[in-house]
Amino acid sequence: MQEKLSIVPTPVGNLEDMTYRAVRVLQEADIILAEDTRTSSVLLKHYNISAELKSHHKFNEHRSIEYIKEKLLSGKKIALISDAGTPGISDPGFLLVRECVNAGIEVETLPGATACIPAIVNSGLPCDRFCFEGFLPVKKGRQSRLEKLSIETRTMIFYESPHRLQKTLSQMSEFFGNDRQACVAREISKLHEDYKRFTLGELSKYYENNEAKGEIVIIVAGLDKQSAKEIEKINRKNR
């Protein structure tokens, strides 16, 4: 059989969100690459998966790619998972996939869990057209990114950590406007799943007094088309 790398999504919360196909692929794998082996071992034990588990994360992925390619070319079945969701989406995976593609190794990516899609659908904001921004830069380039996105007309999706949430909402209020509609989705598919749907200004004030915990997705409405047209007119005049 031709060598093949399998990209396997794992639940972002509820363990029942695994697909039958994902469980089968992991059960058939010789090696499973995991972002955090301690976290992934809980999932694998739940589904009686006993493949060899190896670490593959952002701090070692450059060093481990050649080893993985050698194992694949020797006939080993290898699957890549992350702590939660689909590998490659704000998680390690892109570099390995690119190198396998360049080496002529087949890559299959299973459909499955990811936090951004249920977050935007459940936000109540338009989801026919959207852009995924992932994590904003922590320092360098953060303000320039927000400034560019201030005229984005599509709904925007961001990932954020709990300790930076209030600061991020405050900055978004500054660049996008206090009245811009937004939603903070927290702990998707988990026991304490929660959605807060207000304006950016209201959300910023709310999280000044309420501690945020868990995995967080921020969904922000795009700039309305009329405002976008007015800004474009001003920009054309200034050119």
Side-chain angles (χ1 to χ4, degrees), residues 28-74:
E28 294 175 354
D30 297 306
I31 301 172
I32 297 175
L33 306 173
E35 189 177 3
D36 186 327
T37 56
R38 294 167 299 179
T39 299
S40 296
S41 62
V42 176
L43 173 71
L44 300 183
K45 183 178 180 180
H46 181 82
Y47 285 102
N48 297 313
I49 297 167
S50 56
E52 181 182 1
L53 195 59
K54 286 190 170 293
S55 295
H56 183 78
H57 45 73
K58 65 181 181 180
F59 299 109
N60 75 352
E61 59 181 340
H62 288 86
R63 298 193 306 273
S64 63
I65 284 175
E66 289 302 319
Y67 165 83
I68 296 167
K69 284 166 58 179
E70 288 177 8
K71 290 295 182 182
L72 284 165
L73 292 170
S74 71

Side-chain angles (χ1 to χ4, degrees), residues 64-215:
S64 63
I65 284 175
E66 289 302 319
Y67 165 83
I68 296 167
K69 284 166 58 179
E70 288 177 8
K71 290 295 182 182
L72 284 165
L73 292 170
S74 71
K76 294 291 185 181
K77 296 179 181 178
I78 299 182
L80 172 67
I81 61 177
S82 61
D83 288 351
T86 301
I89 307 298
S90 293
D91 282 319
F94 161 69
L95 289 176
L96 179 58
V97 169
R98 183 182 67 183
E99 291 302 310
C100 285
V101 169
N102 290 340
I105 297 170
E106 181 184 354
V107 178
E108 67 169 359
T109 299
L110 279 61
T114 184
C116 61
I117 298 303
I120 188 173
V121 172
N122 208 23
S123 70
L125 295 172
C127 52
D128 54 334
R129 297 177 68 247
F130 60 88
C131 62
F132 175 74
E133 289 294 320
F135 288 95
L136 289 167
V138 177
K139 293 181 180 178
K140 187 178 181 181
R142 187 179 179 88
Q143 292 192 352
S144 60
R145 177 79 64 84
L146 288 170
E147 185 175 3
K148 289 179 181 178
L149 290 172
S150 65
I151 57 172
E152 173 61 62
T153 57
R154 295 170 295 178
T155 303
M156 296 168 280
I157 305 174
F158 303 87
Y159 288 164
E160 192 51 279
S161 62
H163 70 275
R164 283 199 299 264
L165 176 61
Q166 198 283 322
K167 178 182 178 181
T168 297
L169 290 169
S170 177
Q171 290 176 324
M172 287 179 172
S173 296
E174 178 185 347
F175 284 92
F176 301 161
N178 283 321
D179 295 331
R180 186 81 70 94
Q181 292 294 314
C183 172
V184 172
R186 189 176 61 82
E187 294 290 82
I188 292 171
S189 188
K190 298 180 182 178
L191 181 62
H192 300 292
E193 182 173 0
D194 178 66
Y195 289 81
K196 293 288 183 291
R197 304 173 181 90
F198 301 109
T199 65
L200 282 171
E202 290 168 336
L203 285 168
S204 178
K205 289 181 179 179
Y206 176 84
Y207 284 105
E208 281 181 0
N209 303 309
N210 295 272
E211 182 183 7
K213 295 181 179 179
E215 304 293 328

Side-chain angles (χ1 to χ4, degrees), residues 4 8 18-26 108-111:
K4 181 169 62 178
V8 183
M18 280 289 282
T19 66
Y20 291 117
R21 182 183 175 197
V23 172
R24 176 183 60 78
V25 169
L26 292 180
E108 67 169 359
T109 299
L110 279 61

